[in-house]
Every structure is written in structure tokens, then in C-alpha cells.
Amino acid sequence: MRVNFNKIKIRVRKLSKVLIIEDDRVSLAILHKILKDMGHTTYLAKTGEEGWNLCLSVEPDLVVADILLPQGDGLTLTQRIKSHPQLKNIPIILISGVYKGSAFQADVKNLAIEAYLPKPIDHQKLKKEVKRILIKNNSDEKANHSG
């Protein structure tokens, strides 16, 4: 039996690097499990400063960060990422169990983040947002390299 390897199409899915910044142990474990089960490589940080340092060294494809963090909150971290030339295009999902309401929603729009999810995290909504963001970023990346 001869196999024509030219006709076999292999679908290679780019595994994404996702940085999770969350100081709550239980929330961190849940986020890690969800994203790992989706096939992503995860990097974990428990403080804003640790998250910033990992962001600089790893240059993740996506950042998922809590807003209330020790050593630098998620809002400040978002501003740092978005103002850094190497990191400014990294999509960010912010999560919080505290920040809610219309005043905060305006702040979120000003930060140019890709999504905001309230706690407790809806697992299906998180998966949907992650897929949407990474697919969009992947197609944006391809468009930028094909021109």
C-alpha cells in the first residue's frame, strides 16, 4: 500500500501562550485548568509585578488578569502593557468580583481591553472570549505578514 503524503492535510493549531495573573489561589487554579484543558500553555503570576515581569519575558498571546492584585493592580498593569512598544498588541481580559457598574464599564472602554468578565467566572463565557480573541489575533497576524 502506497500513501501519497502530498494529499494528506495536517491541521496544525498554533498553541497560544496565556499569562494568568490572579492572587486568589482557587481562582488561579480554575483559570489554569480551563485554559490548559483548551490546549494553551499557561504562565501563572500572583502579583501585578510578577505578572509584568512574566509579560516582558514570555510575551504571551493573551493576558487574563484580576483587577485587584498585590504589588500593582490589573488596571495599572493594563496601562503598562498597552504603552509598551513590544507588548501593546497583546490582548487582555480583565476579571473582577469587586468592580462592577456603569462607571467601571466606562473605565474598561478607555483601557482598550478585549473583554471584561465578572467573578465568579462563567467557564463557557471565558472559553468563548478566549477563542474569539485568539482567532481574531491570529487572523490579524496573518494579514500583517501577508502584505
Side-chain angles (χ1 to χ4, degrees), residues 60-116:
D61 300 304
L62 174 65
V63 172
V64 178
D66 190 10
I67 292 175
L68 289 180
L69 294 166
Q71 299 175 16
D73 62 83
L75 299 174
T76 303
L77 180 67
T78 297
Q79 291 169 332
R80 287 176 83 180
I81 292 169
K82 294 299 182 181
S83 63
H84 190 282
Q86 289 287 118
L87 309 175
K88 67 181 180 184
N89 293 321
I90 296 173
I92 299 171
I93 297 174
L94 287 180
I95 57 175
S96 180
V98 178
Y99 286 96
K100 297 175 183 173
S102 58
F104 177 68
Q105 295 301 326
D107 288 344
V108 167
K109 286 179 184 165
N110 292 335
L111 285 172
I113 62 168
E114 281 61 34
Y116 167 76

Side-chain angles (χ1 to χ4, degrees), residues 4-14:
N4 185 346
F5 288 101
N6 293 331
K7 292 188 177 185
I8 298 174
K9 290 184 180 179
I10 300 172
R11 242 177 112 177
V12 179
R13 184 177 147 224
K14 180 187 170 207

Side-chain angles (χ1 to χ4, degrees), residues 100-147:
K100 297 175 183 173
S102 58
F104 177 68
Q105 295 301 326
D107 288 344
V108 167
K109 286 179 184 165
N110 292 335
L111 285 172
I113 62 168
E114 281 61 34
Y116 167 76
L117 298 174
K119 288 182 183 178
I121 297 293
D122 177 329
H123 297 201
Q124 294 308 314
K125 186 162 176 116
L126 173 66
K127 289 178 185 180
K128 182 179 160 191
E129 288 295 334
V130 168
K131 285 178 188 172
R132 178 187 65 81
I133 291 165
L134 292 175
I135 287 169
K136 179 189 179 304
N137 257 32
N138 231 351
S139 58
D140 288 351
E141 216 173 79
K142 285 178 185 170
N144 289 337
H145 290 297
S146 65

Side-chain angles (χ1 to χ4, degrees), residues 22-89:
E22 170 61 77
D23 62 319
D24 178 72
R25 203 170 35 92
V26 174
S27 295
L28 183 65
I30 291 168
L31 290 166
H32 170 70
K33 178 166 179 17
I34 292 168
L35 294 164
K36 198 86 170 160
D37 288 352
M38 290 177 73
H40 303 298
T41 301
T42 57
Y43 298 85
L44 310 177
K46 293 181 181 176
T47 69
E49 196 57 35
E50 188 182 350
W52 172 247
N53 291 329
L54 266 174
C55 203
L56 288 169
S57 63
V58 171
E59 292 188 25
D61 300 304
L62 174 65
V63 172
V64 178
D66 190 10
I67 292 175
L68 289 180
L69 294 166
Q71 299 175 16
D73 62 83
L75 299 174
T76 303
L77 180 67
T78 297
Q79 291 169 332
R80 287 176 83 180
I81 292 169
K82 294 299 182 181
S83 63
H84 190 282
Q86 289 287 118
L87 309 175
K88 67 181 180 184
N89 293 321

